Amino acid sequence: MSLLHLRSFIEVYRRRSFTAAARALGLTQPALSHHVASLEGQVGRALFERHARGVLPTAAADDLAARIGSTLDDAEAALSSARARSTQLTGTIHLAGPSDFLAEGCAPLLIRLQKAGLTVRIDVGGRDALYEKLFNDEVDLAITASAPSDSRLDHARIAEERLLLVAAPEILRTIAAAPEFATGLQGAPCLAYDLDRPLVRTWLKQNGIALPEGAPAFTAPDLRMLRALVCEGAGWTVLPDYLCEDAVRARRLAVLPAPVASPVNPLNLVWARSALRHPRIAFARKTLLQASA
């Protein structure tokens, strides 16, 4: 079994499409089909069932992918890292993540890629959009506050954020003066990332407090906007610590002590497993993880 045939099989298995796999590998579809057919001949069983919208793996394909998938990824990553050390890297890394973390927590990491000779293109988005971009090879690496469950993706922790409930000092004094903490929160406007209020919900659940009734007074998909509004006295919200430090020191924001604990979220570097066959992506991943250690 050749390495190329195995990679062709794994790519089709993960993408459920000969067309998408051929595009990802830079092969023609007939060449890719030949690789898979050759492998089927060696295995002695069909690996995929063709359908109008793609392919479905057979039981034999599931077994083969489970046996070789991660081993093949590791081998290709090792080869790519070796090539990266022996050659002058060039090219572009496409990185995506939350706009606020990329703006205020990621610059020192990205400078290392520039110094290595790579150019960097940055995209922003939420978790689901970032995963889709990785699946479609629109970005090489992504940073998310969640760990992917899809087997086509892998991840490693690159940082962490401690969640803080914050408000302008005068708003916080009003909240603290209420007879009950939950009553004080209910009496002041809440600001959140979106209507589901993910960070607010996480902080309150950690501290055994019910989510306030009603919709947020403001929603904004950039936490820096929430920080600016809260500093102006618009209400209270929950923000990562790295976004609050300067404003707290300047006394534009105050932190409400958590009754139980402040939640800590991991921030993960995420990549498509098959992408590590490219030396520039393997190098960029290794560089970012080493810099964050």
Side-chain angles (χ1 to χ4, degrees):
M1 294 183 184
S2 77
L3 186 62
L4 183 56
H5 289 181
L6 292 174
R7 170 48 65 195
S8 295
F9 158 71
I10 286 294
E11 205 68 31
V12 175
Y13 182 86
R14 288 174 174 167
R15 295 176 183 270
R16 301 296 199 261
S17 166
F18 276 77
T19 302
R23 184 167 57 248
L25 292 171
L27 298 172
T28 64
Q29 192 165 333
L32 184 78
S33 297
H34 174 73
H35 294 168
V36 173
S38 176
L39 193 58
E40 288 178 323
Q42 295 177 67
V43 172
R45 296 182 180 180
L47 296 173
F48 298 103
E49 297 177 359
R50 276 69 172 177
H51 293 270
R53 298 182 64 180
V55 296
L56 290 176
T58 63
D62 289 334
D63 182 61
L64 182 60
R67 290 174 181 271
I68 70 168
S70 59
T71 302
L72 182 63
D73 293 332
D74 292 342
E76 289 190 329
L79 288 171
S80 294
S81 295
R83 288 198 297 269
R85 288 194 299 270
S86 62
T87 60
Q88 178 63 43
L89 281 175
T90 59
T92 300
I93 289 294
H94 294 266
L95 174 73
S99 57
D100 38 79
F101 178 72
L102 290 175
E104 301 207 13
C106 212
L109 301 180
L110 301 183
I111 291 298
R112 291 177 178 247
L113 300 182
Q114 181 193 37
K115 289 180 178 178
L118 295 170
T119 56
V120 181
R121 298 291 177 263
I122 295 175
D123 197 358
V124 299
R127 178 193 62 189
D128 294 339
L130 296 183
Y131 288 168
E132 193 64 28
K133 289 176 185 291
L134 286 168
F135 293 145
N136 295 332
D137 298 318
E138 296 175 31
V139 300
D140 303 315
L141 300 165
I143 297 174
T144 70
S146 61
S149 58
D150 194 296
S151 62
R152 291 172 291 177
L153 301 178
D154 201 357
H155 70 284
R157 181 175 294 201
I158 194 173
E160 62 181 28
E161 57 185 16
R162 189 163 60 97
L163 301 183
L164 305 175
L165 193 152
V166 295
E170 62 274 17
I171 298 293
L172 202 62
R173 283 193 292 269
T174 300
I175 294 172
E180 294 185 4
F181 182 63
T183 303
L185 291 179
Q186 184 70 57
C190 174
L191 287 69
Y193 181 86
D194 58 26
L195 291 176
D196 193 47
R197 298 171 280 182
L199 298 186
V200 170
R201 189 182 297 272
T202 297
W203 193 96
L204 294 177
K205 182 178 180 181
Q206 177 77 41
N207 288 281
I209 301 168
L211 194 69
E213 297 178 0
F218 286 94
T219 61
D222 189 320
L223 299 180
R224 293 168 296 176
M225 175 62 74
L226 297 183
R227 179 184 60 189
L229 289 166
V230 170
C231 285
E232 293 297 323
W236 63 272
T237 192
V238 173
L239 295 175
D241 52 358
Y242 65 85
L243 283 177
C244 302
E245 292 169 350
D246 290 345
V248 170
R249 279 194 294 267
R251 298 186 179 180
R252 295 167 55 226
L253 278 183
V255 178
L256 190 71
V260 177
S262 296
V264 175
N265 279 341
L267 291 167
N268 295 303
L269 185 66
V270 185
W271 59 90
R273 293 180 183 274
S274 57
L276 296 185
R277 65 180 180 272
H278 301 292
R280 60 182 173 78
I281 301 177
F283 174 82
R285 181 201 67 143
K286 183 177 180 180
T287 299
L288 293 175
L289 292 179
Q290 287 178 338
S292 64

